Amino acid sequence: MNDNTDQQEFWSGPSGQSWVRLQAQLDALLQPVLDGLLARAALVAGARVLDVGCGTGASTVAAARIVGAQGHVCGLDISAPMLERARDRAATLSQVSFLLGDAADHSFDAHGFDRMISRFGVMFFADPVAAFRNLARALQPGAQVTFATWSEVAHNPWFTIPAQAAKARLGAPPAVHPDEPGPFAFRDPERVDSIMAEAGFIDFGAETVAISLTPPGDRTAAASLATFVGPATRAIRHFSGTDADRQAIATDVADRLAEFDTPAGIRIPAEINYFTARRPG
């Protein structure tokens, strides 16, 4: 089954609109993840790149600056509101285009790209094998794919701390199986290896890296951000939480983030999986 209707509705609704509204803060938070992705992606001047799950366009714009005017970067996403922001950000870059579509069934031109990248865009596929098989059709023989995902949830306090604070205030929303489409669906490199092999990719590589997320502002600002994206938001929506609930959760999150204060600002530890593979030549 590769019906991503639920994901389309999710990322085109309030959640996607929150990402648009908070784009600058989220880009700053996740900049180290993007830096790690691009360091491994082997992008070169003139390359033709497909950016899967490009969201509001940070990764697309960054890749476009590497490949230059002789290259091309196409950002693909399922969310119309996020793509609207991405288009605005890339309006002056002639080497950038965007597609509104689902990676699982979009009719790509055959062999149009020699690189594929994704920062947190591939964990939401309803049928990841089918999606990667379809993406392979868009890639030239030998093309490299590079993507970043979250590793184990226990090693990512950006998720665990807001979830704990929301549970303390409101209770726990219904459990979701970790292999279902969502942030941690690709936490296990062995599972991802199996998916990529079944989809026909070769030369699979996995690297799990400890980094620090870099939210702008102090921990109060980071805590507020955490109540508009991620697990706290899910709990607030599920329990019809009030503004008072959101503020109470944010206060609790800020207290729990105190251990991550540094002279350079708040630095939240995270663990990221970086994966690479190739379409067979």
Side-chain angles (χ1 to χ4, degrees):
M1 162 129 182
N2 58 5
D3 183 359
N4 280 333
T5 301
D6 288 349
Q7 293 299 321
Q8 183 176 21
E9 293 175 352
F10 180 86
W11 291 108
S12 298
S15 291
Q17 291 160 8
S18 290
W19 274 76
V20 170
R21 180 172 57 85
L22 299 167
Q23 167 248 307
Q25 295 97 308
L26 290 165
D27 283 353
L29 173 80
L30 300 175
Q31 186 63 46
V33 182
L34 179 55
D35 291 343
L37 175 71
L38 295 175
R40 294 163 172 81
L43 303 187
V44 295
R48 300 183 61 80
V49 183
L50 177 62
D51 181 11
V52 176
C54 66
T56 56
S59 50
T60 311
V61 169
R65 289 176 176 146
I66 297 172
V67 304
Q70 301 307 309
H72 182 75
V73 183
C74 177
L76 172 75
D77 206 276
I78 206 168
S79 167
M82 295 174 83
L83 277 186
E84 183 177 359
R85 171 58 62 87
R87 289 189 177 100
D88 287 345
R89 298 175 71 184
T92 62
L93 296 172
S94 61
Q95 69 269 43
V96 171
S97 64
F98 293 98
L99 284 174
L100 177 64
D102 186 343
D105 59 17
H106 183 79
S107 296
F108 295 103
D109 291 340
H111 305 168
F113 302 97
D114 49 41
R115 299 286 192 280
M116 191 202 95
I117 61 171
S118 180
R119 184 194 66 177
F120 297 152
V122 299
M123 307 97 72
F124 301 96
F125 296 151
D127 185 339
V129 172
F132 275 107
R133 281 177 177 159
N134 192 52
L135 288 167
R137 299 187 185 100
L139 302 176
Q140 293 181 6
Q144 177 174 314
V145 302
T146 310
F147 51 99
T149 75
W150 299 103
S151 182
E152 296 289 345
V153 64
H155 300 155
N156 284 289
W158 176 247
F159 287 86
T160 58
I161 287 176
Q164 292 160 1
K167 181 179 179 180
R169 176 75 178 188
L170 297 171
V176 177
H177 192 284
D179 287 346
E180 290 293 311
F184 294 96
F186 277 24
R187 69 197 180 282
D188 178 4
E190 290 187 4
R191 177 173 186 254
V192 180
D193 186 0
S194 176
I195 288 168
M196 298 303 288
E198 189 174 351
F201 287 84
I202 60 173
D203 294 346
F204 177 79
E207 184 181 3
T208 300
V209 179
I211 66 169
S212 293
L213 304 181
T214 54
D218 59 15
R219 57 189 169 92
T220 299
S224 176
L225 180 64
T227 66
F228 288 98
V229 295
T233 307
R234 179 170 177 258
I236 291 167
R237 288 179 181 155
H238 178 77
F239 291 107
S240 300
T242 64
D243 288 342
D245 291 323
R246 186 184 299 277
Q247 184 55 55
I249 292 167
T251 299
D252 190 358
V253 171
D255 290 342
R256 295 171 188 247
L257 289 175
E259 65 179 300
F260 305 132
D261 275 331
T262 78
I266 186 168
R267 297 293 181 263
I268 303 174
E271 192 172 89
I272 306 298
N273 290 330
Y274 290 104
F275 297 112
T276 57
R278 277 196 312 111
R279 186 188 188 275

